[in-house]
Amino acid sequence: MAEPITTLLKKHRPGFALEQAFYTSREVFEQDLERVFFQSWLYAGHASQIPEPGTFLLFEMAGESVILVRDTDSKINALINVCRHRGSRVCAEAEGSTRSFVCPYHGWTYDLQGNLRAARYLPDNVDKSRYGLKHVHVRVIHGMIFINFSENPVSLRALESDLAECLKPYGLDRAKVAHRELYPIKANWKLMVENYIECYHCAPAHREYSKSHSRQAPDAKAAELRAAMMARAEAAGLSQKSIDRFGSRSSQSGEQYFYDRYPLYPGYKTGSEDGEPVAPLMGEIRDYDCGAADFQVGPVTYFLAYPDYTVVYRFLPQDLQETDCEVVWLVNESAVEGKDYDIER
């Protein structure tokens, strides 16, 4: 018989890995979904992916499906992808453009705000306004779309305030998706996140990364490199706050976030094989300060921002031992593929 979570927590030793059952127990996984994922703000996509009214994008996690769609007022709605009649998926395509959503089972038709507009043989005395697609909470922060399944989601005010000046130079609200890769991985989501956030393996496993990023540099060397980066910041269009580090925070309302800008090693202007730029400068940035920024929003979304592009890493559980790792590359919205940037680089 599986041990209850309370017993597993009591057995945990600080500084050691979690008990095996935290990665293998179905009960624990269900609690992960209920207590973490369905209560947190989750990165669902970038606003540039649904630029015009009618354009949509699906967010799918552990059997849940949400339609992100821009309506005729250019507002982004997050609609549960379940018909209110018999529970069929209303939208089967991962992305696209439409004027309305029509359930393939019985033809119930919904507009871009999720309102029920037509249902064959529905009596006239039935109030259609009661049977629209259900909504989840949605917020757009610097062009990044976040959704929350909770009825009463935690506030994002502190997060938005703290990150406002940090992220402003990158102009992420004026960026676009250059490329996306989805990696389905046969592992529990906690293993994926733990692997990402610790860099103990970086030197032996990621030599290209380690020779350019100073994350593992000795303290004296790191301080020297940081001082040089900060001296270049103002001329590069980066404010003092955008290069300050404040580490991990969790406000009283519960949102989790992190920001830290750190130097690259000499000879590297950005995160590339030879250290040279791979795309036009982003947002308000005017030059290369030879630094990079890590930031986190919520429990499973991490960002790595350079002056010329930003990478998004998102981990979504699909089952107990199945996790999707999506990697997204953002560039300046005016950049032209094949001219200003090369996907392979």
Side-chain angles (χ1 to χ4, degrees):
M1 183 175 178
E3 292 182 282
I5 295 176
T6 51
T7 302
L8 292 170
L9 287 171
K10 289 178 181 178
K11 291 170 65 177
H12 176 63
R13 293 182 295 168
F16 286 77
L18 294 170
E19 292 289 322
Q20 182 184 36
F22 278 100
Y23 306 92
T24 60
S25 164
R26 175 65 59 179
E27 178 190 356
V28 171
F29 178 69
E30 295 298 332
Q31 289 295 313
D32 288 345
L33 294 178
E34 187 63 32
R35 298 188 183 194
V36 178
F37 289 93
F38 294 141
Q39 302 297 322
S40 301
W41 287 96
L42 304 171
Y43 175 77
H46 191 270
S48 65
Q49 294 174 268
I50 47 175
E52 305 294 336
T55 51
F56 66 87
L57 174 73
L58 288 191
F59 170 92
E60 299 191 283
M61 179 191 73
E64 299 294 339
S65 182
V66 176
I67 306 169
L68 302 169
V69 60
R70 194 178 291 271
D71 64 25
T72 52
D73 294 325
S74 287
K75 177 185 175 183
I76 294 176
N77 297 297
L79 311 171
I80 295 291
N81 189 15
V82 176
C83 181
R84 295 298 304 282
H85 185 219
R86 289 291 188 179
S88 172
R89 288 284 173 92
V90 173
C91 182
E93 297 179 6
E95 56 187 316
S97 180
T98 187
R99 289 186 293 181
S100 61
F101 296 102
V102 182
C103 176
Y105 190 33
H106 288 133
W108 280 33
T109 302
Y110 303 88
D111 66 18
L112 302 179
Q113 295 176 327
N115 302 306
L116 177 62
R117 290 307 183 204
R120 290 179 304 129
Y121 311 130
L122 193 69
D124 293 338
N125 62 351
V126 174
D127 183 3
K128 288 190 179 71
S129 66
R130 298 180 57 191
Y131 299 101
L133 297 177
K134 293 188 176 182
H135 288 243
V136 297
H137 295 274
V138 60
R139 291 290 296 274
V140 181
I141 302 174
H142 293 267
M144 300 172 290
I145 308 170
F146 293 89
I147 63 172
N148 193 307
F149 288 89
S150 173
E151 290 186 9
N152 298 295
V154 298
S155 169
L156 287 175
R157 285 193 296 272
L159 179 154
E160 291 182 281
S161 175
D162 279 352
L163 290 181
E165 283 299 317
C166 298
L167 301 185
K168 185 173 180 286
Y170 300 98
L172 294 175
D173 57 334
R174 304 188 303 280
K176 69 176 182 179
V177 173
H179 187 63
R180 297 162 62 196
E181 285 286 348
L182 183 68
Y183 301 95
I185 299 169
K186 296 289 186 180
N188 183 266
W189 72 273
K190 296 188 195 73
L191 288 176
M192 305 312 306
V193 171
E194 288 172 352
N195 177 74
Y196 180 84
I197 62 176
E198 63 89 359
C199 209
Y200 188 52
H201 69 283
C202 287
H206 302 302
R207 295 182 181 180
E208 297 90 344
Y209 173 88
S210 298
K211 73 180 183 181
S212 56
H213 295 67
S214 68
R215 276 291 187 207
Q216 302 298 300
D219 290 346
K221 182 64 174 177
E224 175 189 333
L225 292 171
R226 183 170 181 80
M229 178 189 74
M230 294 181 75
R232 292 187 290 263
E234 185 176 356
L238 292 154
S239 66
Q240 180 64 44
K241 192 162 186 178
S242 70
I243 58 174
D244 280 344
R245 54 174 62 172
F246 60 63
S248 185
R249 291 184 179 176
S250 181
S251 75
Q252 291 182 345
S253 61
E255 70 269 30
Q256 298 174 340
Y257 53 104
F258 170 94
Y259 181 88
D260 181 26
R261 186 162 179 83
Y262 60 94
L264 301 174
Y265 279 117
Y268 287 89
K269 295 179 180 177
T270 188
S272 66
E273 189 173 15
D274 61 3
E276 290 300 308
V278 294
L281 291 166
M282 297 189 72
E284 301 172 1
I285 299 176
R286 298 188 295 270
D287 201 354
Y288 292 86
D289 71 332
C290 303
D294 282 329
F295 62 100
Q296 169 195 353
V297 178
V300 289
T301 307
Y302 303 85
F303 302 80
L304 175 53
Y306 301 102
D308 53 344
Y309 73 101
T310 294
V311 195
V312 186
Y313 300 89
R314 179 179 69 177
F315 303 94
L316 290 180
Q318 299 302 343
D319 205 344
L320 176 60
Q321 299 296 342
E322 296 180 14
T323 304
D324 283 347
C325 171
E326 184 184 46
V327 185
V328 180
W329 288 262
L330 299 173
V331 297
N332 191 306
E333 65 180 358
S334 64
V336 178
E337 182 179 352
K339 176 184 176 183
D340 297 317
Y341 66 91
D342 177 357
I343 293 294
E344 291 302 315
R345 290 196 67 207

